[in-house]
Amino acid sequence: MKLSETQLVWVIVTTEIIAMIGLTISPAIQIAKQDAWLSMLAGGVMGIALTFLAVKLSILHPNQSLVQYSQKLLGKWLGRLIVLPYLLAWYVLPAILLRSFADFLHLILLNRTPLWLIVLLFLGVSTYLTYSSGMTGIGRYCELVGPIIVLTLIVSFLLILRNIEYHHILPFYFDSGEVNILKGSFAPAFWFAGPFVLLVIISFIQNPRRVLAKSMLGVGITVFMVASATLMVLLVFGPNIAANLRFSYFMSVRTIDILNFIQNVDVFIMFIWVFGVIAQSSLYIFIASYETANCLNVKNWRKIVWYLLPAIFIMAILIPDETAITLFDKFWTTAIYPVCGILIPLFLLILTLIKKKVSAQSF
Amino acid sequence: MRHTAKICFLSLLPLFITTGCWNLKEPDQLAFVAGNGLDLTKNGKLEASTLLVIPAGIGGGQINGGEKKESYQVMNATGKNVSDALDNIQSKLSRVVFAGHRDIFLVGQSLAEHGMGNTIDTFMRSSQSDMRAMIYLVKNGQPKDVFSSAPFFEPFITTTLSEEQEAIGLKPYLAREFVADVWSDATQPLLPVVSLNPSTHYSYNGSAILNKDDGVKLVGFLDKEETSYARWLTNRLISFTLTAFVSKGNGNISLSLDNLGRRIKVLQVGETIQIDVHLTGGGTIIENSTKLDSSKRKDLLLIQKEISLQTEKSTQKLVKKVQEAYKMDIFGFGESVHQQYPLQWKTLKHNWTKTFPTVAVSVSVDIRINDSGLTHSSLNKP
């Protein structure tokens, strides 16, 4: 399986932008009020730093995925132990993602269709993409829909411009202060860096020379789009109402009404949402099965997909309600991400550098 | 292995085409809502009214001999809360109510007097609610009466109402902006008002002041002219016809104003706050019954000065009236203080309702005559 550098950019953009605009805007506004867009920018800077960490680590082990180099660095058993939290996160994440999107679809569009069926359909499409061609297929898919997503969002920004009121985001900074702006930026920062997928997918790039610049570009595009979307939501609704809206960007698109003629643009947003969610769940399913196969020394990672699917489906159905998803988000930002996204990669990076030094000295 | 996978995916395929079926609703199974009204009945029950579209009545083209059908139907029902009342309306209908195209919310005066705070949740929570609906308060009447009044341009009164504000030069006030005002720190909502004439046609009739801190209760009304000034002060006025008496020419001059602007400067002198408002506008003379000749520079400047002064006085009077009689910050002055003194605002905001009536407000107006119309001096024959 191969992944080109351009595809890497679009994989980052496609799998992050939709989830972030859908899930992180309102929580950020709840904390940082009208300065939430500054939170997004601050979170973007942190996210780029975290991406740098992950990419640096991966480049030092060219064409090797997380499970492979962690075993090389730490030995067979410790190396496997340390990737367990990653595998768990990658199993649960698609379930959470599919469930929250199915909830959204169920509420807005298909309120009589059973929830499990919506989940099943998305799971079916994602599995098809993953199973048929793995990372190559996901890369090509993202290269195709990524530009469509970005373009649609930009057009929607332009259409919303008619409804904005500048006073909603004034005054800058003073109301929330740097403490709240930073507090609001943690959750976005972790999303900008992605759920540790870079630790794996960079191994598919043949020649990882310009990977660092390309991943920065991907995260940069995402930061720009998400911060603009946050700004739009704030400018249309003001911080008090926006904090209370569950799907705030979607709602701000619903306000579009130009000459009584251009209305209901939310239809297009629904399309790109589907694109993004499918890219995300396929990527997570692929990485989860690929790394599990590496871990268990199974030659054909496609076999793992069949065990993973029912697990994801059952998890997605068993989630009781929205509050459980919120709880998972909290758990993600307070426990999973700091451990898997910062501590372990940092540890592995230091270990790699020490080993290099030692081997250089011994020569 | 690959074979079983293919069979699995193929068996999923029919689902892609059929999932919509649960939600399949043909347009002839739906009752489209054009407007919703809320009010209290005489014995204090919440009453919802709905303006429903009757598609058969709108259909253009030939009329086949039979009598023309009405294009709308108004339905009312009472209930424990808004949804309960709407559900009671549904029980009188054979089609499923669909509110996705709702244009108008009407609030009856008696509900507003009682406080409409606990009806607002329904404006945004429903997945059908679109964010483009407008809101009006019905003075001396009930929403259902306004809905029943016969429109003459459009098939339903709601379309008329949604174009009314723009026609008279106001920036349309949407339901979502109303909710934003209710949830804001300082600004009190100013709802546009319609009332019914004796001839049972509606007319736009200024606006209503509500108190967001007291259950969103009705506090008082502003007439049409006052509303224009209030909207000018809040930067929500697009165009405006101003008529003022020019004493030196002994007659009235009417201006059609646009390019309306507003600048608010907040000054802090010691502990007290002072607000300077500067209003600007440019206009065309549309009527001149004075002796002054607008083609002469001296006269033109005189007219400008007099009209600006008159407007200044009227606006000052309005601000004073609102401060003294209603005590509600409908002008968003608190928001300006918030923007210009964000640190001081943190302590000021708790007491703003009490501070607002005592704040010193000075208004200056600068109106420019850009065009004096097609004639020079007045054509009126003395």
Side-chain angles (χ1 to χ4, degrees):
Chain A
M1 285 176 284
K2 280 183 195 168
L3 189 70
S4 78
E5 285 171 342
T6 325
Q7 282 171 346
L8 176 71
V9 175
W10 289 116
V11 168
I12 293 174
V13 172
T14 314
T15 57
E16 284 176 13
I17 226 168
I18 294 301
M20 293 208 55
I21 290 178
L23 300 173
T24 59
I25 290 183
S26 294
I29 294 174
Q30 277 162 15
I31 300 171
K33 293 259 178 140
Q34 68 264 40
D35 298 315
W37 62 283
L38 293 171
S39 285
M40 287 295 178
L41 291 179
V45 175
M46 285 189 245
I48 284 180
L50 291 170
T51 312
F52 183 82
L53 174 67
V55 175
K56 200 82 200 167
L57 178 61
S58 303
I59 293 177
L60 288 173
H61 304 277
N63 301 332
Q64 279 180 322
S65 72
L66 175 69
V67 172
Q68 289 160 337
Y69 57 72
S70 71
Q71 288 188 46
K72 200 180 77 183
L73 286 172
L74 294 169
K76 218 170 173 190
W77 290 108
L78 200 58
R80 280 180 190 176
L81 199 69
I82 212 167
V83 294
L84 269 185
Y86 289 90
L87 293 179
L88 269 173
W90 286 325
Y91 296 154
V92 182
L93 208 54
I96 295 280
L97 179 79
L98 285 175
R99 175 56 188 264
S100 49
F101 184 65
D103 274 342
F104 169 64
L105 215 57
H106 192 255
L107 178 72
I108 302 283
L109 211 59
L110 304 168
N111 59 334
R112 294 187 187 214
T113 309
L115 199 72
W116 63 267
L117 197 66
I118 304 176
V119 175
L120 190 69
L121 280 175
F122 276 92
L123 208 54
V125 178
S126 313
T127 315
Y128 175 72
L129 187 57
T130 309
Y131 193 89
S132 59
S133 47
M135 196 61 226
T136 321
I138 296 169
R140 282 192 197 151
Y141 172 75
C142 290
E143 201 178 14
L144 199 71
V145 298
I148 298 177
I149 290 176
V150 172
L151 200 73
T152 313
L153 283 176
I154 288 175
V155 170
S156 71
F157 292 161
L158 294 177
L159 293 176
I160 292 176
L161 279 182
R162 242 178 87 99
N163 296 336
I164 63 179
E165 305 247 353
Y166 289 104
H167 68 83
H168 280 319
I169 58 163
L170 297 174
F172 299 119
Y173 178 72
F174 288 106
D175 271 14
S176 20
E178 66 274 353
V179 177
N180 283 325
I181 293 179
L182 280 181
K183 244 191 219 166
S185 70
F186 284 130
F190 295 162
W191 268 106
F192 280 128
F196 346 112
V197 292
L198 288 176
L199 296 172
V200 180
I201 61 173
I202 287 176
S203 66
F204 296 111
I205 293 173
Q206 295 313 85
N207 184 6
R209 251 187 330 121
R210 287 187 300 158
V211 165
L212 196 59
K214 292 283 177 181
S215 358
M216 298 289 156
L217 178 66
V219 179
I221 295 174
T222 315
V223 173
F224 175 73
M225 299 306 287
V226 175
S228 315
T230 313
L231 202 56
M232 290 298 162
V233 169
L234 284 170
L235 285 168
V236 169
F237 291 112
N240 295 319
I241 293 190
N244 214 342
L245 290 173
R246 263 176 84 191
F247 310 108
S248 44
Y249 187 70
F250 187 76
M251 287 313 233
S252 68
V253 170
R254 275 197 174 181
T255 64
I256 295 172
D257 178 8
I258 294 178
L259 302 172
N260 265 327
F261 177 65
I262 302 176
Q263 296 174 330
N264 297 328
V265 184
D266 43 330
V267 179
F268 298 100
I269 300 298
M270 200 65 109
F271 272 115
I272 61 168
W273 239 250
V274 173
F275 290 160
V277 169
I278 285 178
Q280 255 186 309
S281 61
S282 322
L283 183 69
Y284 300 155
I285 291 170
F286 166 72
I287 287 179
S289 22
Y290 181 78
E291 287 297 75
T292 312
N294 275 339
C295 207
L296 301 175
N297 281 334
V298 180
K299 270 219 174 109
N300 189 358
W301 59 267
R302 284 190 169 86
K303 277 183 193 156
I304 306 287
V305 176
W306 295 118
Y307 296 99
L308 199 57
L309 287 181
I312 292 174
F313 180 71
I314 291 168
M315 272 191 280
I317 299 303
L318 286 185
I319 293 169
D321 47 36
E322 199 218 344
T323 49
I325 296 176
T326 323
L327 215 64
F328 177 80
D329 276 346
K330 272 212 183 102
F331 184 56
W332 181 267
T333 39
T334 49
I336 303 180
Y337 201 94
V339 173
C340 297
I342 304 171
L343 282 181
I344 299 180
L346 209 59
F347 172 62
L348 291 176
L349 184 69
I350 292 169
L351 211 61
T352 314
L353 293 175
I354 291 174
K355 277 206 170 172
K356 264 203 169 157
K357 222 170 205 177
V358 171
S359 61
Q361 274 166 358
S362 64
F363 275 115
Chain B
M1 188 78 178
R2 284 220 157 199
H3 197 67
T4 34
K6 266 180 196 163
I7 289 174
C8 282
F9 290 132
L10 276 179
S11 61
L12 272 176
L13 269 183
L15 285 176
F16 282 92
I17 329 165
T18 50
T19 38
C21 289
W22 274 280
N23 275 80
L24 182 70
K25 277 268 175 286
E26 297 290 343
D28 66 358
Q29 293 172 296
L30 294 174
F32 290 96
V33 176
N36 268 143
L38 293 173
D39 204 357
L40 288 186
T41 56
K42 276 186 190 128
N43 41 27
K45 271 192 162 173
L46 185 73
E47 185 186 44
S49 25
T50 305
L51 181 76
L52 294 166
V53 177
I54 300 177
I58 323 168
Q62 71 253 59
I63 298 164
N64 301 330
E67 62 181 297
K68 181 129 172 40
K69 269 182 132 182
E70 282 286 3
S71 56
Y72 60 89
Q73 175 69 43
V74 182
M75 302 293 287
N76 313 301
T78 56
K80 282 177 268 193
N81 63 6
V82 181
S83 306
D84 190 40
L86 291 176
D87 197 50
N88 289 339
I89 291 178
Q90 176 70 72
S91 58
K92 301 178 191 168
L93 296 167
S94 62
R95 297 183 177 187
V96 178
V97 170
F98 179 75
H101 295 286
R102 179 171 48 194
D103 287 332
I104 295 290
F105 284 108
L106 292 183
V107 180
Q109 186 175 350
S110 42
L111 176 64
E113 276 165 358
H114 176 262
M116 57 175 293
N118 49 17
T119 60
I120 294 176
D121 188 54
T122 47
F123 287 17
M124 280 179 142
R125 187 182 291 273
S126 155
S127 65
Q128 281 178 1
S129 53
D130 74 30
M131 302 278 126
R132 306 182 290 262
M134 283 177 204
I135 185 163
Y136 283 93
L137 189 131
V138 183
K139 189 180 177 183
N140 298 332
Q142 290 192 299
K144 57 184 171 193
D145 304 327
V146 175
F147 281 149
S148 317
S149 63
F152 26 78
F153 295 117
E154 285 95 5
F156 338 101
I157 199 79
T158 50
T159 327
T160 313
L161 286 175
S162 64
E163 281 162 15
E164 171 78 35
Q165 291 188 56
E166 225 162 330
I168 53 179
L170 298 174
K171 204 170 160 209
Y173 190 67
L174 305 178
R176 69 170 140 89
E177 292 168 301
F178 168 68
V179 181
D181 281 347
V182 168
W183 280 97
S184 71
D185 278 350
T187 314
Q188 297 284 2
L190 188 65
L191 275 188
V193 167
V194 287
S195 56
L196 284 169
N197 307 338
S199 62
T200 70
H201 191 67
Y202 85 92
S203 65
Y204 162 73
N205 213 341
S207 48
I209 301 172
L210 298 166
N211 185 355
K212 70 179 166 61
D213 302 314
D214 184 23
V216 200
K217 242 180 222 171
L218 180 66
V219 179
F221 292 101
L222 296 182
D223 66 20
K224 274 182 270 189
E225 202 190 340
E226 288 168 334
T227 302
S228 296
Y229 290 127
R231 291 274 182 227
W232 195 353
L233 283 165
T234 50
N235 221 357
R236 303 191 61 84
L237 190 65
I238 300 164
S239 62
F240 170 44
T241 303
L242 181 84
T243 304
F245 182 76
V246 181
S247 53
K248 283 211 176 119
N250 195 24
N252 285 312
I253 285 189
S254 284
L255 286 180
S256 162
L257 286 176
D258 41 30
N259 294 324
L260 299 161
R262 162 209 80 160
R263 222 174 36 237
I264 293 183
K265 220 179 201 169
V266 182
L267 301 169
Q268 205 183 21
V269 189
E271 281 293 289
T272 53
I273 280 178
Q274 198 186 324
I275 290 174
D276 285 345
V277 188
H278 185 66
L279 300 176
T280 53
T284 309
I285 299 180
I286 51 173
E287 185 178 342
N288 179 4
S289 55
T290 64
K291 288 179 226 140
L292 299 168
D293 182 354
S294 54
S295 64
K296 285 183 190 144
R297 183 158 178 79
K298 207 181 96 196
D299 284 7
L300 189 77
L301 289 178
L302 194 102
I303 295 171
Q304 273 185 185
K305 207 175 153 199
E306 279 254 351
I307 288 184
S308 298
L309 211 71
Q310 293 275 339
T311 316
E312 228 169 81
K313 270 186 200 152
S314 321
T315 320
Q316 284 274 23
K317 213 174 97 191
L318 169 71
V319 173
K320 192 122 246 162
K321 178 179 167 186
V322 171
Q323 276 185 320
E324 279 166 9
Y326 301 132
K327 302 184 168 64
M328 294 286 122
D329 181 13
I330 52 169
F331 309 112
F333 289 153
E335 206 43 58
S336 301
V337 179
H338 182 193
Q339 284 163 19
Q340 294 173 31
Y341 290 91
L343 293 176
Q344 287 85 332
W345 177 249
K346 280 179 188 171
T347 48
L348 278 171
K349 75 173 168 190
H350 305 294
N351 253 338
W352 182 249
T353 11
K354 285 202 189 109
T355 325
F356 170 73
T358 63
V359 168
V361 181
S362 71
V363 184
S364 63
V365 180
D366 182 16
I367 290 175
R368 280 172 195 285
I369 297 170
N370 298 329
D371 201 314
S372 54
L374 292 176
T375 48
H376 290 312
S377 57
S378 177
L379 293 183
N380 286 358
K381 243 184 131 163

